[in-house]
Structure formats: C-alpha cells, structure tokens
Amino acid sequence: MKKEIFINSSISETRIAIIEDGKLVELFVERPDSERMVGDIYLGKVVNVMKGMQAAFVDIGQKQDAFLHFSDIGETFREYGSGVDFGEEKGKPPLLDKDLIRENQKILVQIIKEPINSKGSRITTEISLPGRFLVLVPNQNSIGVSKKINNHREKRRLRKIARSIRPEGFGMIIRTVALGKEFDVLKTDMETLLKTWKRIEKKVQKSKPPVLINKDMGMASSIIRDLFTPDVSRVVVDSRSMFREIKNYLKDVSPSLLSKVELYAQKMPFFDYFHIETEIDKSLARKMWMKSGGYLIFDHTEALVAIDVNSGKFVGQKNHEQNSLRINLEAARDIARQLRLRDIGGIIVIDFIDMLDPKNRKKVFDELKRELKKDRAQVNVAPISDFGLMQMTRERIRPSLLFSFSEPCPTCGGTGRIASKSTIVSKVEHWLKRFKAHHSERSLKLYTHPEIARYLTTGMKSIIRKIMWRTWLKIYVVADANLNIDEFKFYSKKGETEIKDV
C-alpha cells in the first residue's frame, strides 16, 4: 500500500490529508479557534461526583465541565494541594485509592476525547506522555510493546531495552516506529519525556486549578510524530516554515526519513493540484455516488449516524440477489473509507440492500471488517440482521468532519427541513383567530418572508383575500427579507407597533 501525507497551511487553518493508494482516507483540520486538545494535561478541580453515573465532573477551565468516568480513574491517582500528610515524600502529592475521589479535589487529568456539541471533554487521571518511539506512563510499572510489531524476537529485544531504561515509578509503551531502533535512540527519547514530566510536576506545585499544565503538539507536528512511519512514501508541505520545522524535528529522531519530506512550489493551489479538494467536498455531502451507479446517504442524528445504501443508477446483468451483493460489497469498501475520512464515531447503523442468502450477508460483513482493519480507531461490528441492518460502534475522539466544516442552519435548526408554505398559512390564520377573540382592531400589517408574501398575494383569488373574508380583517402584506421563511410578524396599522401577546 502506498501512503502519502499532504499538509496544507494557511492563515485560517492547517489541513492534513492522508492518502492511501491514491485515495483520500483521513483528513485532519486545525484552526486557531479550535486547536487539537487530545493529549493536553490540566490541573482540574472536581465539582461534582455522581455515584449513580459512576462519574465525576471536573472544572478544567473550559465552557463545559470535563467528564471523568470512574473507569478512567487509575487504581491509584494523585490529589494535589490536599494539605493532608500521607507520609509521602515532601512536596510530592499522595497516591490515593480511586474510591476516594470527592468534590473540591485538585487532580491532574488528561483529555482523551474532545468536547462534542453540549458534552464537555472526556478526561482520564492516567497520564501518558507520547514521544516518537516511546510512551511514558507515570505511576505505572508495566512495559508494553505495540501489537503491530509481529516479530517475536524483535519484541523481546525491545522489552529488554525498555526494562534497562525504564525509570522507577514509570510504565512504558514501545511504539511501532521503534522497530529496529537501538538502545541509545530509545534512551534519548525516554530522557526527553522524563524531563517533560519533571517540568509538569514543578508547574503543578505552583499552579491553582483550573489551569492548562502541558499542551501537546499541534495537529501537524503530532501527525509527523505519530503517523510518519517508514511505510509512508512522502510528506509534501506547502509552508516553508513548517517544512523547516519538520526537517529539524526529523534530524533528531529519524534522519532516515528526511529525504521523504518535500516542499510544494507550484502556482496551482496545493490541494487542487493533487485532486484532494474535490474529495473533501464529496466527504461533506449527504449523498455520495459510488462507481457502480449506486449511492450512499449519511444522516447524523443526536443518538447515531444512519447510512443508507441505494442501487441508484446501477443496471446489473444478473439476478436481484447477485446485483444486491455487488452493490453492497462496493458500499462496504466505500463506507469503511468514509468512516475514517468523515471521522464518524459513536453508534452507526448501516442499511444495506436486502439479501436473502445468509452467505451473501456474511460476505458483506467480512468485507467491511477486512476494510476496517486499516482504521486506527477502535471498531466493533455486529453481523447483518435479517432486516439488512448492520450495527457498529467506532471510537470517537473529536467531532466528525461535518461538524468541523459546518454549522446548523439557523432556519431549520439542523433538521434539514422547514415548515411548508401551507403550514405557515395555517399558523397565520390561527394567529388571526386568537387576535380577533381579544382585540377590536380590524386593520393589521403582516410582515413575512418575500417568498411567503408572494404565495399569499398571487392571483385575483389570492390566499390573503380568502383569509380576510373569513376573518373580517383588513391585512396589508409586507415582504421582509430579514425574516426567516417560517417567521411572520403582525403590526398594528394604527400605532405601527408589533403585536406580540395574543
């Protein structure tokens, strides 16, 4: 598989595109007002402990309090500034049992999921510091090796190095990119992380919550640290400053990768030149066409994301069952890629085209699972039901691409639908009946959207004439482009004041 990374930097945003075999599979976007938060470390203050929810809410200085589930509290955690002497080393916070969490505690936490809609960040007390080759885990003693390293001899070698360099009171995870690296390289990475942790501990002792203690790398830097592995054929950047920054970072940690970093110097817009911009536009669309002529529909709800598979313009040569299988197999491949690209998380329900043969349903299930192995997010998939529905969950770390690039429509509130013209007319008529029951005035001005104004007044037997005959009220219709299509206001013809209470 050919993997490439393209980084586009502008004044308003940084975009990172991951390409596999010529196809856009992941897109990361960072803006000044929405910087990456995952990995940031805060000194927070517990504001509420909800035993029934098995969770606590922690003030870390964001709009919403962060959510700390009891399962994200380590077996032991540190309480800062408690004033209680537990016989610990002077100046070092005591280790406490996880059941002792209570309100007003000062605790060190790390963001593991960014805030989504009205939900605050999800946090953990199990702090981890990622480096290029290692992850340092304070208050642990275990050593782990990436599951993606399959060579057992190499795993044993890396474990042996990890045991010799692991500081007392710290756990360590060997990352995939450590494959083949020697003792000195891993030790240098560990020492850098240890210095970062000591700097964090010093800052904690001087700080009052809520406060940011350690900011993780920005989006582009973290992508280079975490995803620029030897199997990536090239990294192309259109910013000279970022180009130099990446080069300087790689000189210290992976000099062998320096030759793979390129600076884009063409006149054509960067993402247009590599045909990435059109793929981004497709990833934001509700409807996505497939090569066969079938199409997918993506609908986001509060509880889940529904994906509908349709045959569309597909004209098959075989029977219905075989045609359905062909479209569903193609859909399974496209859906797996779109889940990564759109960064869709949470509960997902896929409505495949009905297939009667259980063996065919199994083929589609296996195809989707095979494609999802390329996904770095944790995924759980259930077999296709008799109704043709597949249920799955995908790890959600940040809001999906749709919510990063768009806002809810102020008119429809994000539903995608507005009241019909006839519904608005009915509301106008009901309003007038209520008005007539309590007021004696017989002449009013109706301000409404220009489209509704035309609908009301067009023709000799216009709707507004019928309403006036029915209510015995004189109504002057005024088009107002400042109003939403489903809004209307009535004004007194005499006093030119808006009438609100009816």
Side-chain angles (χ1 to χ4, degrees):
M1 182 195 298
K2 184 183 178 183
K3 289 177 70 175
E4 300 167 291
I5 298 175
F6 296 88
I7 304 177
N8 168 227
S9 182
S10 64
I11 296 171
S12 58
E13 64 184 9
T14 299
R15 299 184 296 176
I16 302 106
I18 311 294
I19 309 293
E20 291 179 0
D21 292 334
K23 291 183 178 179
L24 178 64
V25 295
E26 289 185 71
L27 181 69
F28 303 90
V29 182
E30 185 174 53
R31 298 188 176 103
D33 59 344
S34 59
E35 291 184 342
R36 168 190 161 98
M37 297 180 192
V38 173
D40 292 353
I41 298 172
Y42 286 82
L43 180 62
K45 187 175 183 179
V46 179
V47 293
N48 204 354
V49 179
M50 310 287 286
K51 297 280 186 183
M53 290 177 62
Q54 290 285 289
F57 290 92
V58 182
D59 179 11
I60 60 172
Q62 295 181 346
K63 288 181 180 179
Q64 294 100 5
D65 291 332
F67 180 78
L68 175 63
H69 195 271
F70 287 175
S71 63
D72 292 319
I73 301 175
E75 288 303 314
T76 54
F77 69 98
R78 294 193 183 276
E79 177 183 15
Y80 292 83
S82 64
V84 181
D85 183 10
F86 283 82
E88 293 277 335
E89 240 179 272
K90 189 176 179 183
K92 208 169 187 185
L95 282 169
L96 302 176
D97 187 273
K98 65 186 292 184
D99 294 328
L100 293 178
I101 191 165
R102 63 182 187 279
E103 290 181 14
N104 296 318
Q105 273 183 319
K106 300 173 186 178
I107 56 175
L108 197 66
V109 295
Q110 188 170 34
I111 294 180
I112 52 176
K113 288 185 181 179
E114 293 185 4
I116 297 171
N117 298 329
S118 59
K119 296 177 182 177
S121 300
R122 183 157 180 170
I123 54 176
T124 179
T125 66
E126 296 186 281
I127 309 298
S128 61
L129 298 177
R132 172 65 176 169
F133 307 108
L134 308 170
V135 178
L136 194 65
V137 188
N139 308 320
Q140 297 284 336
N141 293 302
S142 60
I143 292 174
V145 181
S146 169
K147 292 179 181 178
K148 292 181 181 178
I149 298 177
N150 299 316
N151 188 304
H152 294 293
R153 183 180 292 178
E154 178 65 4
K155 274 193 172 184
R156 284 196 299 272
R157 185 187 75 86
L158 291 171
R159 278 186 188 278
K160 187 177 178 181
I161 294 175
R163 281 194 293 270
S164 67
I165 65 174
R166 181 181 68 85
E168 187 65 32
F170 289 86
M172 192 177 288
I173 300 168
I174 310 292
R175 308 187 73 173
T176 310
V177 285
L179 185 71
K181 299 302 176 186
E182 297 302 325
F183 175 89
D184 291 344
V185 174
L186 299 181
K187 190 179 181 207
T188 300
D189 200 33
M190 183 278 296
E191 287 172 346
T192 302
L193 294 173
L194 195 57
K195 284 178 185 175
T196 302
W197 176 247
K198 287 179 178 177
R199 190 167 62 248
I200 288 170
E201 285 205 309
K202 282 183 182 178
K203 189 172 180 181
V204 165
Q205 298 301 331
K206 298 174 184 176
S207 304
K208 291 182 179 180
V211 62
L212 174 64
I213 295 295
N214 187 67
K215 179 79 181 165
D216 195 21
M217 287 181 171
M219 181 75 76
S221 300
S222 67
I223 293 294
I224 296 300
R225 180 191 67 194
D226 300 339
L227 300 183
F228 191 9
T229 49
D231 62 332
V232 174
S233 60
R234 63 172 173 167
V235 172
V236 187
V237 190
D238 68 346
S239 161
R240 287 188 179 276
S241 60
M242 191 168 290
F243 176 74
R244 286 193 297 269
E245 187 182 322
I246 292 171
K247 285 273 194 178
N248 290 333
Y249 174 71
L250 291 174
K251 278 178 188 175
D252 296 328
V253 297
S254 292
S256 60
L257 297 177
L258 280 168
S259 60
K260 294 184 177 183
V261 184
E262 303 173 15
L263 178 65
Y264 177 77
Q266 303 295 327
K267 289 184 178 180
M268 187 185 290
F270 185 33
F271 274 16
D272 285 346
Y273 185 83
F274 291 104
H275 309 293
I276 297 172
E277 205 70 60
T278 52
E279 286 297 312
I280 294 173
D281 291 339
K282 287 179 187 177
S283 71
L284 297 174
R286 178 174 176 260
K287 187 176 185 178
M288 194 206 93
W289 288 96
M290 299 187 289
K291 282 186 178 179
S292 65
Y295 63 89
L296 305 173
I297 295 288
F298 294 82
D299 279 321
H300 292 255
T301 73
E302 189 73 21
L304 52 83
V305 174
I307 304 174
D308 189 25
V309 181
N310 295 277
S311 57
K313 303 177 208 172
F314 175 78
V315 180
Q317 302 296 321
K318 300 178 182 178
N319 60 41
H320 175 74
E321 182 78 6
Q322 288 302 308
N323 289 338
S324 298
L325 175 62
R326 183 179 163 186
I327 296 169
N328 285 339
L329 287 172
E330 183 186 15
R333 292 187 287 271
D334 280 348
I335 287 169
R337 183 170 73 92
Q338 288 296 318
L339 291 179
R340 293 174 65 192
L341 177 53
R342 296 172 186 240
D343 207 357
I344 296 172
I347 299 171
I348 301 157
V349 177
I350 307 169
D351 183 10
F352 285 104
I353 298 171
D354 290 341
M355 295 175 293
L356 298 176
D357 191 342
K359 290 181 181 177
N360 288 336
R361 292 203 291 266
K362 178 76 164 53
K363 285 179 183 177
V364 175
F365 172 73
D366 291 341
E367 184 73 12
L368 184 63
K369 284 198 75 174
R370 186 161 44 250
E371 289 296 315
L372 288 172
K373 286 181 181 177
K374 301 172 186 175
D375 199 337
R376 290 180 296 111
Q378 291 183 0
V379 180
N380 293 303
V381 188
I384 300 175
S385 71
D386 292 340
F387 299 106
L389 299 177
M390 178 185 283
Q391 300 174 65
M392 63 177 290
T393 60
R394 184 175 182 272
E395 181 184 18
R396 176 160 52 197
I397 294 174
R398 64 187 67 83
S400 72
L401 207 62
L402 178 70
F403 297 106
S404 298
F405 276 84
S406 63
E407 295 177 353
C409 168
T411 302
C412 71
T415 65
R417 303 190 67 82
I418 57 172
S420 64
K421 294 181 179 70
S422 57
T423 299
I424 295 167
V425 170
S426 295
K427 287 183 177 180
V428 167
E429 197 170 350
H430 296 326
W431 189 99
L432 289 168
K433 285 179 180 178
R434 289 195 299 272
F435 173 83
K436 192 176 176 183
H438 298 95
H439 298 79
S440 58
E441 193 171 346
R442 290 291 176 264
S443 187
L444 300 171
K445 276 187 178 181
L446 167 59
Y447 284 76
T448 186
H449 187 274
E451 193 173 328
I452 301 299
R454 281 194 297 274
Y455 181 71
L456 287 167
T457 57
T458 301
M460 291 296 293
K461 295 181 179 180
S462 64
I463 295 172
I464 199 66
R465 283 176 176 273
K466 292 177 182 178
I467 291 174
M468 287 193 288
W469 275 108
R470 192 171 295 174
T471 59
W472 285 96
L473 292 168
K474 181 67 176 176
I475 301 167
Y476 299 88
V477 179
V478 181
D480 186 348
N482 293 319
L483 294 175
N484 289 331
I485 198 164
D486 59 349
E487 275 187 297
F488 61 86
K489 295 179 180 180
F490 275 100
Y491 282 77
S492 167
K493 184 72 169 60
K494 293 178 181 177
E496 292 290 333
T497 55
E498 185 182 353
I499 305 167
K500 293 181 178 179
D501 300 322
V502 293

